[in-house]
Amino acid sequence: MKLLHLTFSPRGEESESTQLSQAIVDQLCSQHSVSRIIRRDWRLHATSAIDADYAKALANAARNGVDKLSYEGSLQESERLICELEEADVVVIGTPMHNFTVPASLKTWIDLVVRVNRSFNITPAGKVGTLNSKPVYIAIASGGFFGSEHSRQPDFLTPYLKAILATIGLNDLRFFSAQGMALDINKVKVQRQDALDQVANIGAVITQVG
C-alpha cells in the first residue's frame, strides 16, 4: 500500500494538525502493510504556485475541450501532484483551520490538483472526477470549536473539502479534529487526547486497498 502524507501548517512538526495527521499515519502503518510513504510539507510552498501561463492554458483547455498544454512551471508541478494522488492508495492530510476555512497553502495545492481535462472532465451532467476513489484521512486543528450546534464559529473547511475533492473523484473522506487549541493548557490536553482517541478507534477501515 502506498500512502501520501500532506501537511499544510506553517508551524511544521510543532503544529497540532501535523502531529494528529502523523498519528493517523502511524495507526494505518500499524494495521496495514505500507510499502511506501510520500511526505509533502507545504511550508516550502508558502507563496502561490499558480502562474499566468497556467491560468491561460487552463482557460484555453476548458474552451477547446482538449488539454493541449506545455508542461512547464505550474503545469509541471500540477502534473506531478496529480500523479502522486493517482499512485497513492491512501491519502492523509494535516491542516489547520484558518479564518473558518482552508489555509492558503492547502488552497494552492487544491488549485494545482483540480485541473480541467486532467483530474476532472466537464460533461452535460456537470464536472466528473477522473481519479479512482480512495480513503482520504483529514486531520484538522482549530483554535475554537466547530461542527456542532453549540459551536460559536462557522465551518467552511469541511464542506468545501467534501465538495472540491469529490470534483476529482475523491469521495471517501474521513475527518478527525483537534478543536479548542487556543484554550488554556489543561483544556488543550483534554481536547488533544480526545483527537488521539478518535485516531485510535479508526480500526481496519481500508481493507479494500490493503
Side-chain angles (χ1 to χ4, degrees):
M1 188 175 73
K2 296 179 182 178
L3 189 151
L4 176 61
H5 184 196
L6 307 166
T7 56
F8 295 93
S9 173
R11 296 176 56 219
E13 294 182 358
E14 296 181 359
S15 75
E16 298 289 345
S17 62
T18 297
Q19 292 178 28
L20 183 58
S21 67
Q22 183 60 54
I24 293 172
V25 171
D26 293 342
Q27 184 73 0
L28 294 175
C29 288
S30 73
Q31 296 176 350
H32 303 274
S33 178
V34 178
S35 60
R36 185 183 180 190
I37 299 176
I38 297 175
R39 292 185 172 89
R40 300 295 180 207
D41 182 348
W42 273 71
R43 286 180 301 168
L44 305 178
H45 300 267
T47 58
S48 174
I50 302 299
D51 57 31
D53 289 340
Y54 180 97
K56 292 176 182 177
L58 293 195
N60 291 334
R63 284 194 296 268
N64 299 330
V66 179
D67 193 356
K68 295 180 179 178
L69 306 177
S70 175
Y71 289 94
E72 299 176 356
S74 294
L75 282 170
Q76 185 178 47
E77 178 75 347
S78 170
E79 188 64 21
R80 181 181 69 80
L81 296 175
I82 293 172
C83 287
E84 283 184 349
L85 274 178
E86 290 176 327
E87 294 170 1
D89 298 303
V90 180
V91 180
V92 178
I93 296 173
T95 180
M97 175 181 282
H98 284 178
N99 297 321
F100 313 137
T101 188
V102 299
S105 55
L106 178 49
K107 182 59 168 62
T108 296
W109 178 81
I110 289 170
D111 288 342
L112 288 168
V113 300
V114 180
R115 199 174 97 210
V116 64
N117 296 336
R118 180 60 178 89
S119 57
F120 75 91
N121 294 318
I122 298 175
T123 75
K127 296 176 180 178
V128 177
T130 65
L131 274 63
N132 293 328
S133 181
K134 62 197 68 183
V136 181
Y137 294 82
I138 301 174
I140 304 168
S142 64
F145 293 91
F146 65 91
S148 73
E149 59 179 315
H150 302 296
S151 301
R152 296 186 177 182
Q153 68 180 48
D155 170 22
F156 301 114
L157 188 154
T158 56
Y160 173 62
L161 288 182
K162 289 177 182 178
I164 197 63
L165 293 180
T167 300
I168 61 176
L170 302 179
N171 298 287
D172 185 2
L173 274 55
R174 305 156 190 214
F175 290 93
F176 302 80
S177 60
Q179 301 188 32
M181 294 296 101
L183 303 178
D184 68 75
I185 187 60
N186 291 326
K187 292 181 179 179
V188 166
K189 289 180 180 179
V190 172
Q191 297 299 323
R192 183 183 295 133
Q193 186 58 52
D194 179 67
L196 293 175
D197 290 343
Q198 296 174 41
V199 172
N201 292 324
I202 59 178
V205 293
I206 54 173
T207 54
Q208 68 270 27
V209 296

